[in-house]
Amino acid sequence: MPTIRDRVSDFLKTIGMDAEAVDIGENCSRFVREMEKGLALETSSLQMIPTYITAEGNPRRGEPVIVLDAGGTNLRAAVVHFDREGKAVIDRFAHCHMPGASSAVDSDTFFDRIAELVEPLLGESDRIAFCFSYPAQPRRDKDGTVVFVGKELRVEGITGKLLGAELLQALERRGARPRHRVIVLNDSAATLLSGKALLQDRIFDSYVGLIFGTGINACYIENNANIRRLGPDYPAGSMLINTEAGGYAGFPLPGIIRRFDAATQKPGEYLYEKMVSGRYQGIIVQALLREAAAAGLFSRPFAAAAAGLEGLTSYEIDQFLYYPYGDNRLAVCCGASGEADRETLYYLIDSVFERAARMVTVNLAAILIKTDTGANPCRPVCITADGTAFYQSKLFRGKLNDYMHRYVQGERHRYCEFVRVENATLLGTAIAGLLN
């Protein structure tokens, strides 16, 4: 007599949603090839964007830098320096609502409001490090050109603007005479550098920044000689590469994913992100429940209740995992006596995170293998992780740790260490400003 777990496992295999369909070794090799093609500016699902930001060296102690963090609904500014012991000191912290978050603004207004926040800090340093957590194309002069901003931000006419140059012009409109150098970077680069900021007394072979929240991305350090798109005359050294990992298209794509992808605004794009990130977990679980109900895995009362689920969120999924007998929407669907339904539901959700953990393992392992780092256990790779899906999910982190131990360390003999940094964006952005 097959158990509930057996029935769920068999069902997942028939629709291609079993975790084992993601072969870690095979997909790791494929991921590395996509990285190499992106670095050569060949057709690739990984953009592999050069940031022109270096992590080489250590910041001078006591030297301040003005830091701006623009992302989500809040705009933050501060002056950061590192004391004699290398500890980060955050002074003159200020924040305001992100311009364009609650109502539409034009480009000049957007930069004027940022200038208003930063103007009182201008006398503290001649450097401004600006973390812009929306798509922007880095430039060799360390400025960045806005590609677009997300739906949560409405700024008219900002596409194509130079972030640093526009900020300096806005300061001049306010009567200031800035002679500041502006360094622009994104949140994945800042996350990577925050590990260096926090652990200056540790020796690591390299650094990686992992963003795993509503989306997914990874940033790592690459030897300039391997970035063929820069040309043969580019100076020696290394720089951070923003992989835009969520765009990777090499993982198996089950029919259930193809169908929901076809209904998104950009079908065929950011497939890896759509399969693992917090933004899409609810959609995947809803679709999985409906297919499982059609296959007879659930009782009729549960199937009827689940059919009415709309707008399921990653938070609600975790509420069920923590409180399967609670008053959350998924638990309520199971009813008072739906024990078999409850167990089936748990195993189906578990499979979603199992697949996600295997995919993120592929992502991280490919970086270590591509860069040939982490071979010495005394010099592991520091992986600074940020994002709600990484830290708040009940199931994901334990599964990821298991695969990283079994595959990355056990089979590939690579060593790494996950690090959590408070105020990661501020500290990493400060390091960028001080080292560049």
Side-chain angles (χ1 to χ4, degrees), residues 10 20 91 165-166 172 224 247 254 323 337 354 391 410:
D10 290 343
E20 291 75 16
D91 291 321
E166 291 290 333
E172 289 176 354
N224 291 348
Y323 306 103
S337 58
E354 193 80 25
Y391 289 109

Side-chain angles (χ1 to χ4, degrees), residues 2 51 55 57 86 119 122 128 132 161-162 169 185 204 214 217 236 244 261 284 310 324 329 331 374 391 418 436:
T51 66
E119 184 181 14
L122 292 179
I128 300 174
F132 187 72
K161 297 286 187 178
L162 285 174
Q169 289 177 22
L185 66 160
F204 292 102
T214 56
N217 196 12
E244 284 298 317
D261 172 56
I284 294 175
E310 294 294 341
R329 286 206 290 165
Y391 289 109
F418 287 104
N436 294 271

Side-chain angles (χ1 to χ4, degrees), residues 38-68:
L39 289 173
L41 210 54
E42 298 173 3
T43 301
S44 172
S45 59
L46 293 173
Q47 295 183 46
M48 304 298 289
I49 301 170
T51 66
Y52 306 101
I53 299 291
T54 183
E56 295 176 8
N58 289 304
R60 284 183 288 183
R61 307 291 167 89
E63 182 174 349
V65 59
I66 300 166
V67 174
L68 281 169

Side-chain angles (χ1 to χ4, degrees), residues 11 30 32 65 76 85 105 107 120-121 123 141 147 188 194 197 224-225 252 258 268 297 308 310 324 343 394 424:
F11 163 73
R30 193 178 300 153
V32 170
V65 59
R76 303 189 297 168
E85 286 73 41
V105 298
S107 176
L121 308 178
D141 61 3
V147 177
S188 66
S194 69
N224 291 348
R258 292 180 189 275
L297 266 69
E310 294 294 341
E343 190 175 346
K394 180 178 186 291

Side-chain angles (χ1 to χ4, degrees), residues 185-336:
L185 66 160
N186 78 342
D187 55 349
S188 66
T191 298
L192 180 153
L193 289 167
S194 69
K196 188 177 180 71
L198 179 71
L199 302 168
Q200 295 183 45
D201 59 340
R202 296 279 305 277
I203 296 177
F204 292 102
D205 201 15
S206 190
Y207 297 84
V208 172
L210 173 67
I211 304 291
F212 187 43
T214 56
I216 188 164
N217 196 12
C219 184
Y220 77 102
I221 301 171
E222 182 62 85
N223 190 312
N224 291 348
N226 296 328
I227 312 173
R228 289 190 288 157
R229 62 195 292 174
L230 297 178
D233 298 327
Y234 196 85
S238 64
M239 72 171 69
L240 276 61
I241 295 291
N242 170 16
T243 65
E244 284 298 317
Y248 178 68
F251 289 122
L253 203 62
I256 193 171
I257 303 297
R258 292 180 189 275
R259 288 188 286 278
F260 107 72
D261 172 56
T264 62
Q265 287 192 343
K266 296 182 178 180
E269 297 184 23
Y270 278 74
L271 296 172
Y272 169 32
E273 182 168 284
K274 289 172 181 174
M275 286 190 277
V276 303
S277 73
R279 178 183 302 159
Y280 299 102
Q281 283 172 7
I283 299 173
I284 294 175
V285 170
Q286 284 175 210
L288 200 54
L289 295 188
R290 288 167 188 163
E291 293 221 8
L297 266 69
F298 289 112
S299 67
R300 288 184 180 179
F302 179 92
L309 283 173
E310 294 294 341
L312 190 67
T313 66
S314 58
Y315 173 78
E316 290 178 301
I317 292 169
D318 263 325
Q319 284 296 293
F320 170 77
L321 295 174
Y322 280 112
Y323 306 103
Y325 298 93
D327 60 357
N328 55 83
R329 286 206 290 165
L330 287 171
V332 169
C333 285
C334 298

Side-chain angles (χ1 to χ4, degrees), residues 19 349-359 399 403 406:
I349 293 174
D350 184 85
S351 72
V352 172
F353 288 99
E354 193 80 25
R355 281 174 57 88
R358 289 175 79 101
M359 292 180 192
K399 293 178 181 297
Y403 283 120
R406 282 196 283 154

Side-chain angles (χ1 to χ4, degrees), residues 154 163 224 250 327 338 348 389:
R154 291 173 289 167
L163 290 159
N224 291 348
D327 60 357
L348 287 170

